[in-house]
Amino acid sequence: MHIVSRVARKAAALSALVAGIALLPAAAQSTFDVTVQAAACASCHGTDGRSPGSIPSIAGRPEAVLLGQLKAFKSDSPPANTTIMNRLVKGFSDEELTALAQHFSNIPAQAPSAQEGQKK
Ligand code: HEC
């Protein structure tokens, strides 16, 4: 009798623990720092999304355009000439893609110093 009640208590404690663990990641996922995700784009699209090379710049584009492109890459039928973005965006949730589109749309297409340089 004594043993049975101890086992029952242990089981109850264990299930409470499991429930607690299950709640943790859900709470953590709802907030993230978009600059961490955006840093993953800089190696190809340039610092702040201003590309110095042949890869398109993404800074300063309208949020809806960027989000549309990111969702197209993630869809089952990405644009025909896609090389890498289709594979890359699969690692991001829709919530993160929305935050990334917003982040890069808020960055001016040209750095103030670059505009200065062009005037000369
Ligand atoms: C490994 C290099 C690489 C990384 C990292 C990368 N991209 Fe790209 N991105 C490309 C290339 C190349 C293209 C052209 C489409 C293609 O070939 O996949 C592109 C295209 C795009 C486009 C469409 C631009 C246009 O005008 O067609 C957007 C938007 C974009 N990337 C956003 C992002 C975001 C946001 C990240 C970070 C989460 C990111 N990219 C990370 C290489 C990269």
mmCIF file of all heavy atoms in Angstrom, residues 37-45 55-58 61 65-67 69-70 73 81-86 88-89 92 97 100-101 104, ligand 1:
data_model
loop_
_atom_site.group_PDB
_atom_site.id
_atom_site.type_symbol
_atom_site.label_atom_id
_atom_site.label_comp_id
_atom_site.label_asym_id
_atom_site.label_seq_id
_atom_site.Cartn_x
_atom_site.Cartn_y
_atom_site.Cartn_z
ATOM 1 N N GLN A 37 19.067 36.460 -37.019
ATOM 2 C CA GLN A 37 18.695 35.834 -38.293
ATOM 3 C C GLN A 37 19.258 36.629 -39.477
ATOM 4 O O GLN A 37 19.739 36.062 -40.437
ATOM 5 C CB GLN A 37 17.165 35.752 -38.434
ATOM 6 C CG GLN A 37 16.558 34.512 -37.845
ATOM 7 C CD GLN A 37 16.221 34.709 -36.378
ATOM 8 O OE1 GLN A 37 16.537 35.733 -35.787
ATOM 9 N NE2 GLN A 37 15.581 33.731 -35.792
ATOM 10 N N ALA A 38 19.164 37.948 -39.376
ATOM 11 C CA ALA A 38 19.602 38.802 -40.488
ATOM 12 C C ALA A 38 21.098 38.688 -40.735
ATOM 13 O O ALA A 38 21.558 38.853 -41.869
ATOM 14 C CB ALA A 38 19.222 40.255 -40.212
ATOM 15 N N ALA A 39 21.864 38.380 -39.689
ATOM 16 C CA ALA A 39 23.310 38.238 -39.855
ATOM 17 C C ALA A 39 23.630 37.082 -40.800
ATOM 18 O O ALA A 39 24.661 37.103 -41.478
ATOM 19 C CB ALA A 39 23.967 38.022 -38.492
ATOM 20 N N ALA A 40 22.741 36.104 -40.861
ATOM 21 C CA ALA A 40 22.965 34.954 -41.745
ATOM 22 C C ALA A 40 22.836 35.339 -43.221
ATOM 23 O O ALA A 40 23.268 34.604 -44.095
ATOM 24 C CB ALA A 40 21.970 33.844 -41.403
ATOM 25 N N CYS A 41 22.249 36.473 -43.514
ATOM 26 C CA CYS A 41 22.049 36.928 -44.894
ATOM 27 C C CYS A 41 23.235 37.778 -45.363
ATOM 28 O O CYS A 41 23.453 37.932 -46.566
ATOM 29 C CB CYS A 41 20.771 37.752 -45.005
ATOM 30 S SG CYS A 41 19.397 37.122 -44.014
ATOM 31 N N ALA A 42 23.981 38.325 -44.416
ATOM 32 C CA ALA A 42 25.011 39.323 -44.747
ATOM 33 C C ALA A 42 26.145 38.755 -45.585
ATOM 34 O O ALA A 42 26.694 39.456 -46.432
ATOM 35 C CB ALA A 42 25.570 39.935 -43.461
ATOM 36 N N SER A 43 26.476 37.481 -45.395
ATOM 37 C CA SER A 43 27.613 36.914 -46.118
ATOM 38 C C SER A 43 27.379 36.916 -47.622
ATOM 39 O O SER A 43 28.321 36.975 -48.399
ATOM 40 C CB SER A 43 27.916 35.505 -45.615
ATOM 41 O OG SER A 43 26.777 34.698 -45.722
ATOM 42 N N CYS A 44 26.128 36.856 -48.046
ATOM 43 C CA CYS A 44 25.832 36.869 -49.491
ATOM 44 C C CYS A 44 25.236 38.199 -49.952
ATOM 45 O O CYS A 44 25.567 38.688 -51.019
ATOM 46 C CB CYS A 44 24.862 35.751 -49.837
ATOM 47 S SG CYS A 44 25.583 34.114 -49.639
ATOM 48 N N HIS A 45 24.331 38.765 -49.146
ATOM 49 C CA HIS A 45 23.630 39.983 -49.573
ATOM 50 C C HIS A 45 24.314 41.257 -49.079
ATOM 51 O O HIS A 45 23.781 42.345 -49.240
ATOM 52 C CB HIS A 45 22.174 39.950 -49.111
ATOM 53 C CG HIS A 45 21.350 38.943 -49.853
ATOM 54 N ND1 HIS A 45 20.844 39.176 -51.111
ATOM 55 C CD2 HIS A 45 20.984 37.692 -49.521
ATOM 56 C CE1 HIS A 45 20.168 38.108 -51.513
ATOM 57 N NE2 HIS A 45 20.244 37.186 -50.580
ATOM 58 N N ILE A 55 25.004 39.302 -56.305
ATOM 59 C CA ILE A 55 23.801 38.884 -55.574
ATOM 60 C C ILE A 55 22.958 40.129 -55.292
ATOM 61 O O ILE A 55 23.505 41.170 -54.929
ATOM 62 C CB ILE A 55 24.199 38.138 -54.271
ATOM 63 C CG1 ILE A 55 24.862 36.805 -54.652
ATOM 64 C CG2 ILE A 55 23.003 37.915 -53.365
ATOM 65 C CD1 ILE A 55 25.415 36.019 -53.496
ATOM 66 N N PRO A 56 21.651 40.054 -55.515
ATOM 67 C CA PRO A 56 20.835 41.273 -55.378
ATOM 68 C C PRO A 56 20.867 41.879 -53.975
ATOM 69 O O PRO A 56 20.950 41.162 -52.996
ATOM 70 C CB PRO A 56 19.420 40.799 -55.741
ATOM 71 C CG PRO A 56 19.461 39.317 -55.771
ATOM 72 C CD PRO A 56 20.872 38.908 -55.956
ATOM 73 N N SER A 57 20.817 43.212 -53.922
ATOM 74 C CA SER A 57 20.648 43.907 -52.648
ATOM 75 C C SER A 57 19.216 43.725 -52.181
ATOM 76 O O SER A 57 18.292 43.654 -52.999
ATOM 77 C CB SER A 57 20.934 45.400 -52.818
ATOM 78 O OG SER A 57 22.318 45.623 -52.956
ATOM 79 N N ILE A 58 19.029 43.629 -50.893
ATOM 80 C CA ILE A 58 17.669 43.476 -50.367
ATOM 81 C C ILE A 58 17.290 44.605 -49.417
ATOM 82 O O ILE A 58 16.154 44.690 -48.985
ATOM 83 C CB ILE A 58 17.481 42.101 -49.675
ATOM 84 C CG1 ILE A 58 18.556 41.865 -48.614
ATOM 85 C CG2 ILE A 58 17.496 40.974 -50.706
ATOM 86 C CD1 ILE A 58 18.370 40.564 -47.820
ATOM 87 N N ARG A 61 13.948 47.531 -49.842
ATOM 88 C CA ARG A 61 12.824 47.084 -50.683
ATOM 89 C C ARG A 61 11.558 47.093 -49.829
ATOM 90 O O ARG A 61 11.619 46.883 -48.627
ATOM 91 C CB ARG A 61 13.062 45.637 -51.149
ATOM 92 C CG ARG A 61 14.302 45.455 -51.979
ATOM 93 C CD ARG A 61 13.948 45.409 -53.443
ATOM 94 N NE ARG A 61 15.059 44.908 -54.224
ATOM 95 C CZ ARG A 61 15.203 43.629 -54.560
ATOM 96 N NH1 ARG A 61 14.318 42.723 -54.177
ATOM 97 N NH2 ARG A 61 16.227 43.253 -55.274
ATOM 98 N N VAL A 65 7.179 43.126 -50.835
ATOM 99 C CA VAL A 65 7.935 42.532 -51.950
ATOM 100 C C VAL A 65 8.900 41.476 -51.417
ATOM 101 O O VAL A 65 8.960 40.345 -51.917
ATOM 102 C CB VAL A 65 8.700 43.628 -52.737
ATOM 103 C CG1 VAL A 65 9.646 43.000 -53.749
ATOM 104 C CG2 VAL A 65 7.723 44.564 -53.428
ATOM 105 N N LEU A 66 9.646 41.851 -50.385
ATOM 106 C CA LEU A 66 10.611 40.912 -49.797
ATOM 107 C C LEU A 66 9.912 39.666 -49.258
ATOM 108 O O LEU A 66 10.347 38.542 -49.509
ATOM 109 C CB LEU A 66 11.392 41.600 -48.664
ATOM 110 C CG LEU A 66 12.393 42.673 -49.079
ATOM 111 C CD1 LEU A 66 12.995 43.338 -47.851
ATOM 112 C CD2 LEU A 66 13.502 42.081 -49.947
ATOM 113 N N LEU A 67 8.827 39.877 -48.532
ATOM 114 C CA LEU A 67 8.113 38.735 -47.955
ATOM 115 C C LEU A 67 7.560 37.836 -49.060
ATOM 116 O O LEU A 67 7.622 36.611 -48.966
ATOM 117 C CB LEU A 67 6.986 39.209 -47.032
ATOM 118 C CG LEU A 67 6.260 38.099 -46.278
ATOM 119 C CD1 LEU A 67 7.222 37.296 -45.408
ATOM 120 C CD2 LEU A 67 5.133 38.667 -45.418
ATOM 121 N N GLN A 69 8.846 37.409 -52.018
ATOM 122 C CA GLN A 69 9.959 36.644 -52.589
ATOM 123 C C GLN A 69 10.381 35.510 -51.662
ATOM 124 O O GLN A 69 10.605 34.380 -52.112
ATOM 125 C CB GLN A 69 11.149 37.580 -52.848
ATOM 126 C CG GLN A 69 10.925 38.509 -54.035
ATOM 127 C CD GLN A 69 12.013 39.555 -54.181
ATOM 128 O OE1 GLN A 69 12.516 40.081 -53.197
ATOM 129 N NE2 GLN A 69 12.382 39.855 -55.413
ATOM 130 N N LEU A 70 10.462 35.801 -50.361
ATOM 131 C CA LEU A 70 10.885 34.770 -49.408
ATOM 132 C C LEU A 70 9.880 33.626 -49.363
ATOM 133 O O LEU A 70 10.247 32.453 -49.328
ATOM 134 C CB LEU A 70 11.073 35.385 -48.016
ATOM 135 C CG LEU A 70 12.240 36.371 -47.896
ATOM 136 C CD1 LEU A 70 12.245 37.066 -46.542
ATOM 137 C CD2 LEU A 70 13.579 35.671 -48.124
ATOM 138 N N PHE A 73 10.245 31.498 -52.414
ATOM 139 C CA PHE A 73 11.384 30.578 -52.287
ATOM 140 C C PHE A 73 11.008 29.369 -51.436
ATOM 141 O O PHE A 73 11.435 28.249 -51.700
ATOM 142 C CB PHE A 73 12.581 31.284 -51.631
ATOM 143 C CG PHE A 73 13.273 32.302 -52.505
ATOM 144 C CD1 PHE A 73 13.622 33.544 -52.009
ATOM 145 C CD2 PHE A 73 13.598 32.008 -53.819
ATOM 146 C CE1 PHE A 73 14.275 34.480 -52.806
ATOM 147 C CE2 PHE A 73 14.247 32.934 -54.631
ATOM 148 C CZ PHE A 73 14.587 34.171 -54.123
ATOM 149 N N ASN A 81 14.828 30.073 -61.723
ATOM 150 C CA ASN A 81 16.275 30.325 -61.686
ATOM 151 C C ASN A 81 16.866 30.329 -60.277
ATOM 152 O O ASN A 81 18.001 30.750 -60.073
ATOM 153 C CB ASN A 81 16.589 31.654 -62.396
ATOM 154 C CG ASN A 81 15.742 32.791 -61.845
ATOM 155 O OD1 ASN A 81 14.859 32.578 -60.997
ATOM 156 N ND2 ASN A 81 16.001 34.006 -62.284
ATOM 157 N N THR A 82 16.095 29.861 -59.304
ATOM 158 C CA THR A 82 16.562 29.861 -57.918
ATOM 159 C C THR A 82 17.702 28.861 -57.731
ATOM 160 O O THR A 82 17.599 27.718 -58.190
ATOM 161 C CB THR A 82 15.407 29.501 -56.964
ATOM 162 O OG1 THR A 82 14.315 30.369 -57.228
ATOM 163 C CG2 THR A 82 15.829 29.659 -55.517
ATOM 164 N N THR A 83 18.783 29.313 -57.093
ATOM 165 C CA THR A 83 19.920 28.418 -56.874
ATOM 166 C C THR A 83 20.051 27.972 -55.418
ATOM 167 O O THR A 83 20.322 26.812 -55.146
ATOM 168 C CB THR A 83 21.242 29.101 -57.277
ATOM 169 O OG1 THR A 83 21.398 30.296 -56.515
ATOM 170 C CG2 THR A 83 21.268 29.421 -58.755
ATOM 171 N N ILE A 84 19.855 28.905 -54.493
ATOM 172 C CA ILE A 84 20.158 28.605 -53.091
ATOM 173 C C ILE A 84 19.058 29.017 -52.126
ATOM 174 O O ILE A 84 18.838 28.374 -51.109
ATOM 175 C CB ILE A 84 21.504 29.276 -52.681
ATOM 176 C CG1 ILE A 84 21.891 28.979 -51.213
ATOM 177 C CG2 ILE A 84 21.467 30.799 -52.846
ATOM 178 C CD1 ILE A 84 22.923 27.932 -51.073
ATOM 179 N N MET A 85 18.331 30.087 -52.469
ATOM 180 C CA MET A 85 17.380 30.646 -51.507
ATOM 181 C C MET A 85 16.285 29.660 -51.128
ATOM 182 O O MET A 85 15.802 29.671 -49.994
ATOM 183 C CB MET A 85 16.768 31.944 -52.048
ATOM 184 C CG MET A 85 17.701 33.144 -52.006
ATOM 185 S SD MET A 85 18.383 33.499 -50.371
ATOM 186 C CE MET A 85 16.904 33.861 -49.445
ATOM 187 N N ASN A 86 15.876 28.801 -52.061
ATOM 188 C CA ASN A 86 14.822 27.828 -51.746
ATOM 189 C C ASN A 86 15.246 26.911 -50.606
ATOM 190 O O ASN A 86 14.472 26.608 -49.711
ATOM 191 C CB ASN A 86 14.438 27.019 -52.992
ATOM 192 C CG ASN A 86 15.641 26.392 -53.671
ATOM 193 O OD1 ASN A 86 16.775 26.861 -53.536
ATOM 194 N ND2 ASN A 86 15.416 25.325 -54.408
ATOM 195 N N LEU A 88 17.672 27.652 -48.399
ATOM 196 C CA LEU A 88 18.002 28.458 -47.236
ATOM 197 C C LEU A 88 16.771 28.851 -46.408
ATOM 198 O O LEU A 88 16.780 28.751 -45.182
ATOM 199 C CB LEU A 88 18.713 29.714 -47.735
ATOM 200 C CG LEU A 88 19.751 30.298 -46.807
ATOM 201 C CD1 LEU A 88 20.936 30.771 -47.600
ATOM 202 C CD2 LEU A 88 19.139 31.422 -46.022
ATOM 203 N N VAL A 89 15.706 29.276 -47.075
ATOM 204 C CA VAL A 89 14.554 29.772 -46.312
ATOM 205 C C VAL A 89 13.806 28.657 -45.579
ATOM 206 O O VAL A 89 13.034 28.941 -44.677
ATOM 207 C CB VAL A 89 13.544 30.551 -47.192
ATOM 208 C CG1 VAL A 89 14.153 31.852 -47.688
ATOM 209 C CG2 VAL A 89 13.040 29.700 -48.334
ATOM 210 N N PHE A 92 13.762 28.756 -41.834
ATOM 211 C CA PHE A 92 13.128 29.867 -41.131
ATOM 212 C C PHE A 92 11.611 29.670 -41.070
ATOM 213 O O PHE A 92 11.007 29.227 -42.045
ATOM 214 C CB PHE A 92 13.430 31.198 -41.829
ATOM 215 C CG PHE A 92 14.890 31.577 -41.789
ATOM 216 C CD1 PHE A 92 15.754 31.183 -42.793
ATOM 217 C CD2 PHE A 92 15.400 32.319 -40.732
ATOM 218 C CE1 PHE A 92 17.104 31.525 -42.750
ATOM 219 C CE2 PHE A 92 16.738 32.672 -40.680
ATOM 220 C CZ PHE A 92 17.591 32.268 -41.681
ATOM 221 N N LEU A 97 10.498 34.929 -41.321
ATOM 222 C CA LEU A 97 10.581 35.534 -42.654
ATOM 223 C C LEU A 97 9.897 36.898 -42.663
ATOM 224 O O LEU A 97 10.396 37.852 -43.267
ATOM 225 C CB LEU A 97 9.949 34.610 -43.710
ATOM 226 C CG LEU A 97 10.686 33.281 -43.974
ATOM 227 C CD1 LEU A 97 10.006 32.502 -45.094
ATOM 228 C CD2 LEU A 97 12.156 33.506 -44.308
ATOM 229 N N LEU A 100 12.191 39.266 -40.984
ATOM 230 C CA LEU A 100 13.334 39.577 -41.847
ATOM 231 C C LEU A 100 12.936 40.562 -42.934
ATOM 232 O O LEU A 100 13.673 41.517 -43.222
ATOM 233 C CB LEU A 100 13.889 38.290 -42.477
ATOM 234 C CG LEU A 100 14.758 37.425 -41.553
ATOM 235 C CD1 LEU A 100 14.948 36.038 -42.136
ATOM 236 C CD2 LEU A 100 16.104 38.092 -41.301
ATOM 237 N N ALA A 101 11.769 40.360 -43.547
ATOM 238 C CA ALA A 101 11.290 41.268 -44.592
ATOM 239 C C ALA A 101 11.126 42.671 -44.020
ATOM 240 O O ALA A 101 11.535 43.670 -44.631
ATOM 241 C CB ALA A 101 9.967 40.761 -45.165
ATOM 242 N N PHE A 104 14.751 44.251 -43.271
ATOM 243 C CA PHE A 104 15.510 44.763 -44.410
ATOM 244 C C PHE A 104 14.784 45.913 -45.118
ATOM 245 O O PHE A 104 15.436 46.782 -45.698
ATOM 246 C CB PHE A 104 15.843 43.636 -45.392
ATOM 247 C CG PHE A 104 16.971 42.755 -44.900
ATOM 248 C CD1 PHE A 104 16.736 41.465 -44.480
ATOM 249 C CD2 PHE A 104 18.267 43.246 -44.823
ATOM 250 C CE1 PHE A 104 17.769 40.658 -44.003
ATOM 251 C CE2 PHE A 104 19.312 42.456 -44.335
ATOM 252 C CZ PHE A 104 19.059 41.154 -43.928
HETATM 253 C C1 HEC B 1 24.632 31.564 -49.717
HETATM 254 C C2 HEC B 1 24.296 32.900 -50.173
HETATM 255 C C3 HEC B 1 22.978 33.518 -49.682
HETATM 256 C C4 HEC B 1 22.540 33.706 -48.400
HETATM 257 C C5 HEC B 1 23.232 33.292 -47.108
HETATM 258 C C6 HEC B 1 21.268 34.404 -48.487
HETATM 259 N N1 HEC B 1 20.945 34.631 -49.800
HETATM 260 FE FE1 HEC B 1 19.264 35.538 -50.481
HETATM 261 N N2 HEC B 1 19.854 35.202 -52.397
HETATM 262 C C7 HEC B 1 21.026 34.556 -52.788
HETATM 263 C C8 HEC B 1 21.014 34.348 -54.228
HETATM 264 C C9 HEC B 1 22.103 33.675 -55.035
HETATM 265 C C10 HEC B 1 19.789 34.889 -54.689
HETATM 266 C C11 HEC B 1 19.209 34.830 -56.107
HETATM 267 C C12 HEC B 1 18.180 33.688 -56.120
HETATM 268 C C13 HEC B 1 18.838 32.327 -56.036
HETATM 269 O O1 HEC B 1 19.682 32.014 -56.870
HETATM 270 O O2 HEC B 1 18.505 31.547 -55.102
HETATM 271 C C14 HEC B 1 19.109 35.448 -53.527
HETATM 272 C C15 HEC B 1 17.878 36.111 -53.577
HETATM 273 C C16 HEC B 1 17.232 36.662 -52.495
HETATM 274 C C17 HEC B 1 16.040 37.469 -52.555
HETATM 275 C C18 HEC B 1 15.323 37.884 -53.826
HETATM 276 C C19 HEC B 1 16.049 39.077 -54.397
HETATM 277 C C20 HEC B 1 15.659 39.368 -55.816
HETATM 278 O O3 HEC B 1 15.723 40.542 -56.193
HETATM 279 O O4 HEC B 1 15.320 38.450 -56.552
HETATM 280 C C21 HEC B 1 15.712 37.806 -51.282
HETATM 281 C C22 HEC B 1 14.529 38.656 -50.833
HETATM 282 C C23 HEC B 1 16.692 37.209 -50.413
HETATM 283 N N3 HEC B 1 17.610 36.527 -51.172
HETATM 284 C C24 HEC B 1 16.686 37.317 -49.046
HETATM 285 C C25 HEC B 1 17.600 36.685 -48.211
HETATM 286 C C26 HEC B 1 17.520 36.701 -46.773
HETATM 287 C C27 HEC B 1 16.459 37.438 -45.962
HETATM 288 C C28 HEC B 1 18.576 35.972 -46.309
HETATM 289 C C29 HEC B 1 18.911 35.623 -44.874
HETATM 290 C C30 HEC B 1 17.909 34.867 -44.178
HETATM 291 C C31 HEC B 1 19.323 35.510 -47.467
HETATM 292 N N4 HEC B 1 18.699 35.956 -48.585
HETATM 293 C C32 HEC B 1 20.484 34.763 -47.394
HETATM 294 C C33 HEC B 1 22.040 34.143 -51.945
HETATM 295 C C34 HEC B 1 21.971 34.110 -50.565
#
